Amino acid sequence: MIALTTRIPKPTLERLPLYHRAVESYLAKDQEAISSQELGREIGVDDYQVRKDLSWLGAGGRPGYGYEARHLLERFEEVLGLKRDHTAVVIGAGHLGTALSHYSGFRRYGLRILALFDRDPNKVGKQLGDIPILDIGELGSIIKEQHVPLAIITVPAPEAQRVVNLAVEAGIKAIWNFAPASIQVPPEIIVRNEDLAVGLATLSHYIVYGRPSD
Amino acid sequence: MIALTTRIPKPTLERLPLYHRAVESYLAKDQEAISSQELGREIGVDDYQVRKDLSWLGAGGRPGYGYEARHLLERFEEVLGLKRDHTAVVIGAGHLGTALSHYSGFRRYGLRILALFDRDPNKVGKQLGDIPILDIGELGSIIKEQHVPLAIITVPAPEAQRVVNLAVEAGIKAIWNFAPASIQVPPEIIVRNEDLAVGLATLSHYIVYGRPSD
């Protein structure tokens, strides 16, 4: 096994979860070998790009056979950090924050939500299952004491930057932003903006103009 | 202007909302011309792919100048159907369904949620702002009578297939599936699975191994 490098290019990294999902579905159908052409069709890149992407993981296919699905799956899990547990806080105990705290799709990625934070005194002090809702004033100390790496932002857009600043000051490493607002952070902080409107835009085209050719 | 074709390849179409967002941000900074290299960097493909993608829209760049941002924006809005209003129903009036019904990021895409559907008698009959919560038994007649093209699925995973079947029988054109479940539909139905775990997988890598090079 090669040493894991942090030099995987961002576009490649963003495709890894898609490869991961595709390989999982092949394995679910008991397909043990996958060609770069098949993988490329699944995620919409050509087979040259697939081979280039997978070479970053030290995964090599065999001519006439393809990639071993199980080996690929292991490499994805390692590179995507899926075998480790992660903790996170959710900022904003509204509907989206509550929904994400319950989202069962996160479990297989080992994500554990430690707490929700809100400023509404009617919410603070309550529990959401086994997750406490805490006052936003406690955010900094919880992030610091528990070394929480990830903050999930679900506050209304005008409040997003303020709570992001609080999390950054407390030493957060990564921000997952669901607020439809663009946020500014120091360069060392990782940000992922989850723009649900992107999915809608694609569907919108299909609805208006019909299904595209694949 | 060329006639709009339905032959835009799916991978290209999936990149259009990303181009759209990038062009919007350039225009917000008063940048009138954008090169294919700049666009490619933003969304993680090479400049050859950018030129190929944009040629599907009949958008041509000028050597030494690039693409006209305003023209590109118009083409994206047209091709993505962003200038038309869409109606949708949300199935599942839980936290995620409620959150999506309120999500302000959808407004600029002209999405109008007609109703939420649930089977819980404690929810049915209530209003969410101006959106009524109706009994799931009424789903078919609403989709048929109002010609609703899009159903957003936010029910728990084990119930997803059943409500999708109801929507399909009623003549829905597209399904936006937020349930962490894979669903089966006839080939003419458009499906987009919104796997929030994909975002988490990418962040997970960054947190474990540090930020990748761009």
Side-chain angles (χ1 to χ4, degrees):
Chain A
M1 183 176 307
I2 61 158
L4 192 65
T5 169
T6 59
R7 304 230 167 266
I8 297 175
K10 192 175 168 192
T12 295
L13 185 59
E14 301 255 326
R15 280 189 285 269
L16 295 189
L18 307 179
Y19 287 123
H20 176 245
R21 227 178 355 174
V23 170
E24 276 190 329
S25 76
Y26 281 116
L27 275 170
K29 291 179 285 183
D30 288 324
Q31 186 176 336
E32 299 284 333
I34 310 176
S35 70
S36 50
Q37 288 83 358
E38 283 174 302
L39 274 173
R41 260 198 310 276
E42 290 277 341
I43 76 156
V45 295
D46 63 29
D47 56 310
Y48 171 74
Q49 185 70 61
V50 171
R51 289 192 296 273
K52 209 169 142 192
D53 284 345
L54 297 184
S55 72
W56 285 100
L57 312 190
R62 295 206 308 270
Y65 177 83
Y67 293 90
E68 241 181 286
R70 251 166 248 290
H71 174 64
L72 278 185
L73 195 70
E74 275 173 28
R75 293 298 294 143
F76 292 138
E77 287 178 348
E78 187 178 354
V79 172
L80 292 173
L82 303 185
K83 286 178 166 171
R84 319 221 188 170
D85 281 350
H86 301 291
T87 57
V89 291
V90 174
I91 311 179
H95 290 293
L96 187 57
T98 306
L100 292 176
S101 302
H102 284 309
Y103 193 70
S104 61
F106 290 161
R107 282 184 211 139
R108 67 186 177 116
Y109 285 81
L111 185 74
R112 191 159 61 90
I113 308 286
L114 287 184
L116 279 101
F117 290 87
D118 209 288
R119 61 175 189 186
D120 180 350
N122 293 317
K123 290 176 180 169
V124 170
K126 295 196 171 143
Q127 292 269 135
L128 200 75
D130 55 356
I131 306 171
I133 304 179
L134 305 178
D135 188 273
I136 187 74
E138 295 181 66
L139 178 70
S141 58
I142 297 282
I143 290 175
K144 271 181 207 150
E145 284 159 22
Q146 314 259 347
H147 305 287
V148 180
L150 174 64
I152 302 174
I153 310 297
T154 68
V155 298
E159 291 171 43
Q161 186 65 55
R162 197 179 57 84
V163 302
V164 165
N165 292 349
L166 291 175
V168 168
E169 279 160 29
I172 206 81
K173 288 166 115 179
I175 298 279
W176 197 2
N177 179 34
F178 284 82
S182 75
I183 52 170
Q184 308 300 320
V185 295
E188 70 275 15
I189 309 288
I190 299 146
V191 175
R192 184 180 170 96
N193 292 300
E194 205 67 49
D195 190 347
L196 294 175
V198 166
L200 181 59
T202 313
L203 278 168
S204 166
H205 169 89
Y206 292 156
I207 291 168
V208 175
Y209 298 105
R211 206 186 166 72
S213 60
D214 278 293
Chain B
M1 182 177 305
I2 59 157
L4 193 66
T5 168
T6 59
R7 304 230 168 266
I8 296 176
K10 192 175 168 191
T12 294
L13 184 60
E14 301 253 327
R15 282 188 285 270
L16 294 189
L18 307 178
Y19 288 123
H20 175 247
R21 227 179 354 176
V23 170
E24 276 190 328
S25 76
Y26 281 116
L27 275 170
K29 291 179 284 183
D30 288 324
Q31 187 177 333
E32 300 284 334
I34 310 176
S35 70
S36 50
Q37 288 83 357
E38 284 174 301
L39 274 173
R41 261 198 310 276
E42 289 277 341
I43 76 155
V45 295
D46 64 29
D47 57 311
Y48 171 74
Q49 184 70 61
V50 171
R51 289 192 296 274
K52 209 168 142 193
D53 284 345
L54 297 184
S55 72
W56 285 100
L57 312 190
R62 295 206 308 270
Y65 177 83
Y67 293 90
E68 241 181 285
R70 250 166 248 290
H71 175 65
L72 279 185
L73 195 70
E74 275 172 29
R75 292 299 294 144
F76 293 138
E77 287 178 348
E78 187 178 355
V79 172
L80 292 174
L82 304 185
K83 287 177 164 171
R84 319 221 187 171
D85 281 350
H86 301 292
T87 56
V89 291
V90 173
I91 310 179
H95 291 292
L96 187 56
T98 306
L100 292 176
S101 302
H102 284 307
Y103 193 70
S104 61
F106 290 160
R107 280 182 213 143
R108 66 185 179 118
Y109 286 81
L111 185 74
R112 190 159 61 91
I113 308 285
L114 287 185
L116 280 100
F117 290 87
D118 209 289
R119 61 176 189 186
D120 180 351
N122 294 318
K123 290 177 180 168
V124 170
K126 294 196 172 144
Q127 291 270 134
L128 200 76
D130 54 356
I131 306 170
I133 304 179
L134 305 178
D135 188 273
I136 187 74
E138 295 181 67
L139 178 70
S141 57
I142 296 282
I143 289 175
K144 271 181 211 153
E145 283 159 23
Q146 314 260 345
H147 304 288
V148 180
L150 174 64
I152 303 175
I153 310 296
T154 67
V155 298
E159 290 172 43
Q161 186 65 54
R162 196 179 57 84
V163 301
V164 164
N165 292 349
L166 291 176
V168 168
E169 280 161 30
I172 206 80
K173 287 166 115 179
I175 298 280
W176 197 3
N177 178 34
F178 284 82
S182 74
I183 53 170
Q184 308 299 320
V185 294
E188 69 276 15
I189 309 288
I190 298 146
V191 176
R192 183 179 170 97
N193 291 299
E194 205 66 48
D195 190 348
L196 294 175
V198 165
L200 181 59
T202 313
L203 278 167
S204 165
H205 170 89
Y206 291 156
I207 291 168
V208 175
Y209 297 106
R211 206 186 167 72
S213 61
D214 278 294

Short mmCIF file of all heavy atoms in Angstrom, two decimals, chain B residues 130-162:
data_model
loop_
_atom_site.label_atom_id
_atom_site.label_comp_id
_atom_site.label_asym_id
_atom_site.label_seq_id
_atom_site.Cartn_x
_atom_site.Cartn_y
_atom_site.Cartn_z
N ASP B 130 -48.01 29.46 3.74
CA ASP B 130 -49.18 29.36 2.85
C ASP B 130 -49.24 28.01 2.14
O ASP B 130 -49.98 27.85 1.18
CB ASP B 130 -49.20 30.51 1.84
CG ASP B 130 -47.91 30.60 1.05
OD1 ASP B 130 -46.98 29.82 1.34
OD2 ASP B 130 -47.83 31.45 0.15
N ILE B 131 -48.45 27.04 2.62
CA ILE B 131 -48.45 25.72 1.99
C ILE B 131 -49.27 24.75 2.85
O ILE B 131 -48.96 24.55 4.02
CB ILE B 131 -47.01 25.18 1.84
CG1 ILE B 131 -46.13 26.19 1.10
CG2 ILE B 131 -47.03 23.83 1.13
CD1 ILE B 131 -44.65 25.84 1.12
N PRO B 132 -50.32 24.15 2.28
CA PRO B 132 -51.12 23.22 3.08
C PRO B 132 -50.45 21.85 3.20
O PRO B 132 -49.72 21.42 2.31
CB PRO B 132 -52.41 23.09 2.25
CG PRO B 132 -51.97 23.34 0.84
CD PRO B 132 -50.84 24.33 0.91
N ILE B 133 -50.68 21.21 4.35
CA ILE B 133 -50.25 19.81 4.51
C ILE B 133 -51.47 18.93 4.27
O ILE B 133 -52.46 19.03 4.98
CB ILE B 133 -49.68 19.56 5.92
CG1 ILE B 133 -48.53 20.53 6.20
CG2 ILE B 133 -49.21 18.10 6.05
CD1 ILE B 133 -47.90 20.38 7.58
N LEU B 134 -51.39 18.11 3.22
CA LEU B 134 -52.54 17.30 2.80
C LEU B 134 -52.28 15.83 3.08
O LEU B 134 -51.13 15.40 3.23
CB LEU B 134 -52.80 17.50 1.30
CG LEU B 134 -53.01 18.95 0.84
CD1 LEU B 134 -53.21 19.00 -0.67
CD2 LEU B 134 -54.19 19.58 1.56
N ASP B 135 -53.36 15.07 3.11
CA ASP B 135 -53.24 13.62 3.31
C ASP B 135 -52.65 12.98 2.07
O ASP B 135 -52.98 13.35 0.93
CB ASP B 135 -54.62 13.02 3.60
CG ASP B 135 -54.50 11.56 3.99
OD1 ASP B 135 -54.49 10.69 3.10
OD2 ASP B 135 -54.39 11.30 5.21
N ILE B 136 -51.77 12.02 2.30
CA ILE B 136 -51.09 11.33 1.19
C ILE B 136 -52.10 10.74 0.20
O ILE B 136 -51.81 10.61 -0.99
CB ILE B 136 -50.11 10.27 1.74
CG1 ILE B 136 -49.25 9.64 0.65
CG2 ILE B 136 -50.85 9.19 2.55
CD1 ILE B 136 -48.18 10.54 0.13
N GLY B 137 -53.31 10.44 0.71
CA GLY B 137 -54.36 9.90 -0.17
C GLY B 137 -54.79 10.87 -1.26
O GLY B 137 -55.37 10.47 -2.27
N GLU B 138 -54.50 12.16 -1.06
CA GLU B 138 -54.88 13.16 -2.06
C GLU B 138 -53.79 13.43 -3.08
O GLU B 138 -53.96 14.25 -3.99
CB GLU B 138 -55.23 14.48 -1.36
CG GLU B 138 -56.47 14.41 -0.47
CD GLU B 138 -56.75 15.76 0.16
OE1 GLU B 138 -57.11 16.71 -0.58
OE2 GLU B 138 -56.59 15.89 1.39
N LEU B 139 -52.63 12.78 -2.89
CA LEU B 139 -51.47 13.07 -3.74
C LEU B 139 -51.80 12.91 -5.23
O LEU B 139 -51.53 13.81 -6.04
CB LEU B 139 -50.31 12.15 -3.35
CG LEU B 139 -49.04 12.30 -4.19
CD1 LEU B 139 -48.36 13.63 -3.89
CD2 LEU B 139 -48.07 11.14 -3.93
N GLY B 140 -52.38 11.77 -5.58
CA GLY B 140 -52.62 11.48 -6.99
C GLY B 140 -53.50 12.52 -7.66
O GLY B 140 -53.19 13.01 -8.74
N SER B 141 -54.60 12.90 -6.99
CA SER B 141 -55.53 13.83 -7.63
C SER B 141 -54.89 15.22 -7.78
O SER B 141 -55.10 15.89 -8.79
CB SER B 141 -56.85 13.90 -6.86
OG SER B 141 -56.61 14.27 -5.53
N ILE B 142 -54.08 15.63 -6.80
CA ILE B 142 -53.43 16.95 -6.92
C ILE B 142 -52.42 16.96 -8.07
O ILE B 142 -52.40 17.88 -8.89
CB ILE B 142 -52.71 17.33 -5.59
CG1 ILE B 142 -53.72 17.48 -4.44
CG2 ILE B 142 -51.87 18.59 -5.77
CD1 ILE B 142 -54.49 18.77 -4.44
N ILE B 143 -51.60 15.92 -8.14
CA ILE B 143 -50.61 15.85 -9.23
C ILE B 143 -51.33 15.88 -10.58
O ILE B 143 -50.92 16.61 -11.49
CB ILE B 143 -49.74 14.57 -9.10
CG1 ILE B 143 -48.80 14.69 -7.89
CG2 ILE B 143 -48.93 14.32 -10.38
CD1 ILE B 143 -47.97 13.45 -7.60
N LYS B 144 -52.41 15.10 -10.71
CA LYS B 144 -53.14 15.05 -11.98
C LYS B 144 -53.79 16.39 -12.31
O LYS B 144 -53.62 16.92 -13.40
CB LYS B 144 -54.23 13.98 -11.91
CG LYS B 144 -53.75 12.60 -12.36
CD LYS B 144 -54.88 11.58 -12.29
CE LYS B 144 -54.33 10.20 -11.98
NZ LYS B 144 -55.25 9.32 -11.31
N GLU B 145 -54.55 16.93 -11.34
CA GLU B 145 -55.33 18.13 -11.63
C GLU B 145 -54.45 19.35 -11.89
O GLU B 145 -54.77 20.19 -12.71
CB GLU B 145 -56.29 18.43 -10.47
CG GLU B 145 -57.50 17.51 -10.47
CD GLU B 145 -58.15 17.44 -9.09
OE1 GLU B 145 -57.96 18.38 -8.28
OE2 GLU B 145 -58.83 16.43 -8.81
N GLN B 146 -53.35 19.45 -11.13
CA GLN B 146 -52.50 20.65 -11.24
C GLN B 146 -51.33 20.43 -12.19
O GLN B 146 -50.48 21.31 -12.30
CB GLN B 146 -51.97 21.04 -9.85
CG GLN B 146 -53.01 21.04 -8.76
CD GLN B 146 -53.52 22.44 -8.46
OE1 GLN B 146 -52.93 23.44 -8.86
NE2 GLN B 146 -54.64 22.52 -7.74
N HIS B 147 -51.25 19.24 -12.80
CA HIS B 147 -50.14 18.92 -13.71
C HIS B 147 -48.79 19.20 -13.05
O HIS B 147 -47.93 19.86 -13.63
CB HIS B 147 -50.26 19.72 -15.01
CG HIS B 147 -51.56 19.51 -15.70
ND1 HIS B 147 -51.89 18.34 -16.35
CD2 HIS B 147 -52.65 20.31 -15.81
CE1 HIS B 147 -53.11 18.43 -16.85
NE2 HIS B 147 -53.60 19.60 -16.53
N VAL B 148 -48.62 18.71 -11.83
CA VAL B 148 -47.38 18.94 -11.09
C VAL B 148 -46.28 18.07 -11.67
O VAL B 148 -46.45 16.86 -11.77
CB VAL B 148 -47.57 18.61 -9.59
CG1 VAL B 148 -46.27 18.85 -8.83
CG2 VAL B 148 -48.71 19.41 -9.00
N PRO B 149 -45.16 18.67 -12.10
CA PRO B 149 -44.13 17.84 -12.74
C PRO B 149 -43.15 17.19 -11.76
O PRO B 149 -42.52 16.20 -12.09
CB PRO B 149 -43.39 18.85 -13.63
CG PRO B 149 -43.56 20.16 -12.93
CD PRO B 149 -44.88 20.11 -12.23
N LEU B 150 -43.00 17.77 -10.56
CA LEU B 150 -41.89 17.37 -9.68
C LEU B 150 -42.38 16.98 -8.30
O LEU B 150 -43.13 17.73 -7.66
CB LEU B 150 -40.89 18.54 -9.56
CG LEU B 150 -39.72 18.38 -8.60
CD1 LEU B 150 -38.79 17.25 -9.03
CD2 LEU B 150 -38.93 19.69 -8.48
N ALA B 151 -41.92 15.82 -7.82
CA ALA B 151 -42.19 15.40 -6.44
C ALA B 151 -40.87 15.30 -5.69
O ALA B 151 -39.92 14.68 -6.18
CB ALA B 151 -42.92 14.06 -6.42
N ILE B 152 -40.82 15.94 -4.53
CA ILE B 152 -39.62 15.92 -3.69
C ILE B 152 -39.89 14.95 -2.55
O ILE B 152 -40.85 15.11 -1.80
CB ILE B 152 -39.34 17.34 -3.15
CG1 ILE B 152 -39.17 18.33 -4.32
CG2 ILE B 152 -38.11 17.34 -2.25
CD1 ILE B 152 -39.02 19.78 -3.89
N ILE B 153 -39.06 13.91 -2.46
CA ILE B 153 -39.33 12.81 -1.55
C ILE B 153 -38.48 12.96 -0.28
O ILE B 153 -37.25 12.94 -0.35
CB ILE B 153 -38.99 11.45 -2.21
CG1 ILE B 153 -39.62 11.33 -3.59
CG2 ILE B 153 -39.38 10.29 -1.29
CD1 ILE B 153 -41.12 11.33 -3.62
N THR B 154 -39.14 13.11 0.85
CA THR B 154 -38.40 13.25 2.12
C THR B 154 -38.95 12.31 3.19
O THR B 154 -38.74 12.56 4.37
CB THR B 154 -38.45 14.71 2.64
OG1 THR B 154 -39.81 15.01 3.02
CG2 THR B 154 -38.00 15.70 1.61
N VAL B 155 -39.61 11.25 2.77
CA VAL B 155 -40.13 10.27 3.74
C VAL B 155 -38.98 9.38 4.21
O VAL B 155 -37.91 9.37 3.60
CB VAL B 155 -41.25 9.41 3.10
CG1 VAL B 155 -42.43 10.27 2.68
CG2 VAL B 155 -40.71 8.62 1.91
N PRO B 156 -39.18 8.64 5.30
CA PRO B 156 -38.14 7.69 5.72
C PRO B 156 -37.86 6.66 4.62
O PRO B 156 -38.76 6.34 3.83
CB PRO B 156 -38.75 7.02 6.96
CG PRO B 156 -39.76 7.99 7.47
CD PRO B 156 -40.31 8.68 6.25
N ALA B 157 -36.64 6.16 4.59
CA ALA B 157 -36.20 5.25 3.51
C ALA B 157 -37.18 4.10 3.24
O ALA B 157 -37.49 3.83 2.07
CB ALA B 157 -34.79 4.73 3.81
N PRO B 158 -37.69 3.42 4.26
CA PRO B 158 -38.56 2.26 3.94
C PRO B 158 -39.86 2.64 3.25
O PRO B 158 -40.52 1.78 2.65
CB PRO B 158 -38.87 1.65 5.33
CG PRO B 158 -37.85 2.22 6.26
CD PRO B 158 -37.47 3.56 5.70
N GLU B 159 -40.27 3.90 3.32
CA GLU B 159 -41.53 4.31 2.70
C GLU B 159 -41.33 4.94 1.33
O GLU B 159 -42.31 5.27 0.64
CB GLU B 159 -42.24 5.33 3.60
CG GLU B 159 -42.78 4.72 4.88
CD GLU B 159 -43.30 5.79 5.83
OE1 GLU B 159 -43.99 6.71 5.35
OE2 GLU B 159 -42.99 5.70 7.02
N ALA B 160 -40.07 5.13 0.94
CA ALA B 160 -39.80 5.92 -0.27
C ALA B 160 -40.43 5.30 -1.52
O ALA B 160 -41.11 5.99 -2.29
CB ALA B 160 -38.30 6.10 -0.45
N GLN B 161 -40.19 4.00 -1.73
CA GLN B 161 -40.67 3.39 -2.97
C GLN B 161 -42.20 3.48 -3.10
O GLN B 161 -42.74 3.74 -4.17
CB GLN B 161 -40.22 1.92 -3.04
CG GLN B 161 -40.56 1.24 -4.36
CD GLN B 161 -39.81 1.85 -5.54
OE1 GLN B 161 -38.60 1.95 -5.54
NE2 GLN B 161 -40.55 2.31 -6.54
N ARG B 162 -42.89 3.30 -1.98
CA ARG B 162 -44.35 3.31 -2.02
C ARG B 162 -44.88 4.69 -2.46
O ARG B 162 -45.76 4.78 -3.33
CB ARG B 162 -44.91 2.97 -0.62
CG ARG B 162 -46.37 2.58 -0.60
CD ARG B 162 -46.82 2.24 0.83
NE ARG B 162 -46.58 3.34 1.76
CZ ARG B 162 -47.44 4.37 1.93
NH1 ARG B 162 -48.56 4.42 1.24
NH2 ARG B 162 -47.16 5.34 2.79
#
